Amino acid sequence: MDTKKNKVFYFMHISWKWAKQRPQFLAECLSEDYFVNVVQKRDYRGENYNENLLENIKLTYLSVLPYNARSSIVRFLNKIILRLFYSKIYYTSKIVWITSPELYFLLPKPKAGQILIYDCMDDMLSFDGIRNNSNIYSFYKTAEKQLISDSNIILSSSNHLKDVLNQRYSLNKEIHVVNNGLTLNNTVNNSSSNILKLDNTKVNLVYIGTVSKWMDWDLILESLNKDRSLLYHIVGPIEFNGPKHENIIYYGSIDHSLVFPVMNESDILIMPFIVNDLIKSVNPVKLYEYIYSGKPVISVGYPETEKFSDFVWLYDTFEVYFQLLEHIKQANFAPKKSFSNCRKFCESNNWESRYQVIKEIIAKAL
């Protein structure tokens, strides 16, 4: 562990142990050049899967009072807690990296010479719990506007999200679009997870990701009503209980090292989302990983998934979804593009290439 490197105060809103996604991957990339102090609110959800930390990453849990977004008194007390225990880490960091606006009001203003980076990975104001509560929505919007105003660097995970921020706040600051990516894994087609309860008499469809309301459960159930040979394997942390059905199996969280072996056991990989304002801003990590597996992939179509259309079958109605299932079965479960073409696409869209872009942006700000 090289504590002599410049430090990053990496304040993230999701648990390191939750589904591995953009914040964890970019923290690992930053650890190549910095000592990264990852600070996150303690996660009391029972479903966590621990992962090993890289050498130059230290994970610290921030024990704060709940309802930070709802109460100014709670925010005041949480500020005191954070500043009592984390001021030294914060002020000795060259870079302050924030992944959600709710966290910004807990921090003191950056000092001269510090670089404040807002990495906007989702349209936070479109989450149901925020959008449907006027007080919480107002807090997030005020916090995000201030965070954007104070940031030296603003990153966005998608073009649509960049447009949303520009329209919402009438910005005159540059927003750098840095899409998501994947970590290359050479064992994709050489290993099994032994997790999936496969049925070789059925078509094994696999979804990997957070299990939430934005999944199109009606589409899944309608497909099962039409074809009982389908078997859905739903893999990932559960924040919404999907429907119970004998042809739907839920597995909960798995270690990220098992993601590719699980994909290897699938017949078809799917991303069945409801396209709402939240989803429109998502540049999906899972599609990069799906494509890398060399398996056939079906996803709902919207502008951010159109970028993957050479490699992924896209649908916009149930009829098209079901036609694609039948087409893939008739084609003996072949991917849309050859395995070598899938690999070439992913090799040019890995997290390391994304980090090289970020390094150049940071270098110009220093």
Side-chain angles (χ1 to χ4, degrees), residues 90 94-98 104 107-110 113-119 146-154 173:
Y90 177 80
K94 183 68 176 177
I95 295 172
V96 177
W97 186 292
I98 298 180
Y104 187 50
L107 296 173
K109 291 284 187 180
Q114 279 186 313
I115 303 296
L116 177 62
I117 299 176
Y118 175 33
D119 182 30
Q146 188 63 55
L147 174 56
I148 287 173
S149 175
D150 293 346
S151 292
N152 303 98
I153 296 171
I154 306 164
K173 300 182 74 171

Side-chain angles (χ1 to χ4, degrees), residues 263 268-272 284-302 304-316 320-321 324-325 327-328 334-338 341-342 345-346:
M263 290 191 294
I268 304 173
L269 294 164
I270 58 169
M271 197 181 88
V285 172
K286 62 176 57 60
L287 287 190
Y288 295 102
E289 295 178 336
Y290 282 3
I291 293 167
Y292 191 64
S293 73
K295 293 287 184 171
V297 182
I298 299 177
S299 169
V300 66
Y302 62 97
E304 286 297 322
T305 58
E306 290 288 344
K307 302 171 184 177
F308 304 91
S309 60
D310 286 345
F311 302 89
V312 173
W313 281 284
L314 301 177
Y315 71 89
D316 57 358
V320 174
Y321 176 76
L324 292 174
L325 289 175
H327 169 77
I328 292 171
K336 194 171 185 181
K337 289 287 187 180
S338 69
N341 284 333
C342 291
F345 171 79
C346 291

